[in-house]
Amino acid sequence: MYDGAFDSVHWRIAVFVKRSSAFTASIVVSAFAFEVAFDTVTDRIWDTLNHGRQWKDLKARLEAASDE
Amino acid sequence: MNVSARSALSRLGLEVGEHAHAFSTPDHGLHPVHYPWDHNGAFATYDHAALRRGYQVYKDVCSACHSMSRIAWRNLIGVTHTEAEVKAMAAETTYYDGPDAEGEMHERPGKASDYFPSPYINDDAARAANAGALPPDLSCIARARHGEENYIFSLLTGYYDAPAGVTVRDGLHYNPYFPGGTIGMAQVLFDGVVDYEDGTPNTASQLARDVSTFLAWASYPEFDERKKMGMKFMIITTGLFGLSVWWKRFKWSYIKSQRLVVQPPTHIRKV
């Protein structure tokens, strides 16, 4: 085993790699977290590029018009 | 040669002749201009305010003759109208439904799940009412015509007096964008035939633009979502491409950093 050769940083990474269960769980959790973060950022970029054109913008204008 | 290249050459003083065709291209319909739609481009959604106005044009003008039988009222929710508006609009139409538990047919107000009502009960009735010409269903018309919304816009704004030498039969109208040059449909979009609620100028070309956008949406309802997925796909694949480049360099670094030196043997027998 590699244990003796690992310094503290490598040892912390190795926790996620040594056991298959921890390895799988870390992949699933990080994929989930990445997708949430990626979608949040790209949706915000998309809404900026299409500002005023989408249904949510039109709906806000309609509601503002009906409130008057 | 396309139009822009030819006009660019003619600006340089170079005239480029037309191709010789064995047939006359106007007989097959003029190719529509590629208009700069504001939903063109990789990152642009439809302008939903234009879709809402386009629905109004379809409802007030086109739907007198053209069905849109594949589009349901519910498809407008979250695209052009709110749920309450859609339910109110659907309820204005009467639908023939049944049979109920007693086997009776009955009439009822429309629901959001109903499809758009058709102006004629079947295609034969539609032909009989339009001098033999069938007004096509507009549900997928942008997909079904070369040039898509460009064609629809060109056709709607393309009514002219027939040039000398072209005879137009009774009941037909000259339109160079329609294959054959004469079309059963008369010009329907004129300045001011539809009143917009949002104060947009209701010129004929504005009406044509909005209804063309609406019909394009009807053909491609997944348009906005597809483009957004496309943007995300390109970002992810760019990252993966960068990783694959790094991986290749990583694997090849061992090979590329080796140096092979050939030392010829020193004791070679001279002959």
Side-chain angles (χ1 to χ4, degrees), chain B residues 64-99:
Chain B
C65 299
H66 289 277
S67 59
M68 254 182 120
S69 59
R70 306 276 169 183
I71 308 294
W73 295 105
R74 60 181 166 76
N75 296 136
L76 299 179
I77 298 174
V79 178
T80 59
H81 294 76
T82 65
E83 187 175 343
E85 286 173 326
V86 166
K87 283 180 173 170
M89 293 191 303
E92 288 169 13
T93 310
T94 304
Y95 284 84
Y96 192 57
D97 201 0

Side-chain angles (χ1 to χ4, degrees), chain B:
Chain B
M1 178 173 290
N2 64 34
V3 173
S4 57
R6 186 180 296 136
S7 63
L9 285 171
S10 68
R11 250 179 270 127
L12 295 170
L14 302 168
E15 288 299 334
V16 182
E18 296 288 327
H19 292 285
H21 289 284
F23 54 88
S24 160
T25 42
D27 286 351
H28 296 256
L30 291 185
H31 285 187
V33 174
H34 286 255
Y35 289 101
W37 298 95
D38 63 3
H39 56 262
N40 282 353
F43 303 115
T45 65
Y46 285 128
D47 180 1
H48 284 241
L51 294 182
R52 187 182 170 96
R53 295 191 299 268
Y55 167 76
Q56 196 186 345
V57 177
Y58 167 75
K59 187 70 193 161
D60 291 356
V61 182
C62 315
S63 68
C65 299
H66 289 277
S67 59
M68 254 182 120
S69 59
R70 306 276 169 183
I71 308 294
W73 295 105
R74 60 181 166 76
N75 296 136
L76 299 179
I77 298 174
V79 178
T80 59
H81 294 76
T82 65
E83 187 175 343
E85 286 173 326
V86 166
K87 283 180 173 170
M89 293 191 303
E92 288 169 13
T93 310
T94 304
Y95 284 84
Y96 192 57
D97 201 0
D100 59 14
E102 281 83 42
E104 301 294 324
M105 301 298 282
H106 61 279
E107 291 186 337
R108 60 163 177 80
K111 297 179 285 192
S113 58
D114 285 312
Y115 287 82
F116 281 3
S118 297
Y120 303 106
I121 195 158
N122 55 44
D123 285 358
D124 292 325
R127 283 198 179 88
N130 290 286
L134 173 67
D137 187 274
L138 298 183
S139 309
C140 297
I141 200 71
R143 278 180 193 267
R145 296 291 181 272
H146 288 293
E148 310 209 329
E149 59 264 47
N150 297 302
Y151 168 77
I152 299 167
F153 181 89
S154 299
L155 190 82
L156 290 173
T157 56
Y159 286 88
Y160 303 102
D161 292 334
V166 175
T167 50
V168 179
R169 282 195 291 130
D170 254 6
L172 294 182
H173 308 85
Y174 182 72
N175 191 320
Y177 294 99
F178 192 72
T182 55
I183 184 170
M185 182 173 85
Q187 183 172 3
V188 287
L189 294 183
F190 300 95
D191 290 349
V193 292
V194 175
D195 276 326
Y196 283 145
E197 59 185 6
D198 63 357
T200 305
N202 52 357
T203 58
S205 59
Q206 180 71 36
L207 301 179
R209 168 199 183 263
D210 290 339
V211 78
S212 302
T213 311
F214 175 70
L215 294 176
W217 164 79
S219 286
Y220 299 99
E222 83 297 349
F223 186 89
D224 294 356
E225 196 60 27
R226 168 160 52 81
K227 283 189 166 180
K228 192 196 223 176
M229 289 301 291
M231 181 186 74
K232 293 183 180 185
F233 173 83
M234 285 194 286
I235 292 171
I236 293 284
T237 47
T238 305
L240 291 179
F241 177 71
L243 273 180
S244 70
V245 169
W246 172 81
W247 182 249
K248 182 263 169 190
R249 292 170 68 93
F250 177 70
K251 284 294 180 187
W252 278 66
S253 62
Y254 171 71
I255 299 162
K256 290 228 176 188
S257 58
Q258 284 184 87
R259 190 173 182 191
L260 300 180
V261 178
V262 179
Q263 286 189 317
T266 48
H267 307 290
I268 296 176
R269 185 170 61 88
K270 295 219 166 53
V271 281

Side-chain angles (χ1 to χ4, degrees), chain A residues 22-36:
Chain A
F23 189 44
T24 311
S26 63
I27 288 172
V28 169
V29 169
S30 57
F32 183 79
F34 173 77
E35 181 158 7
V36 169

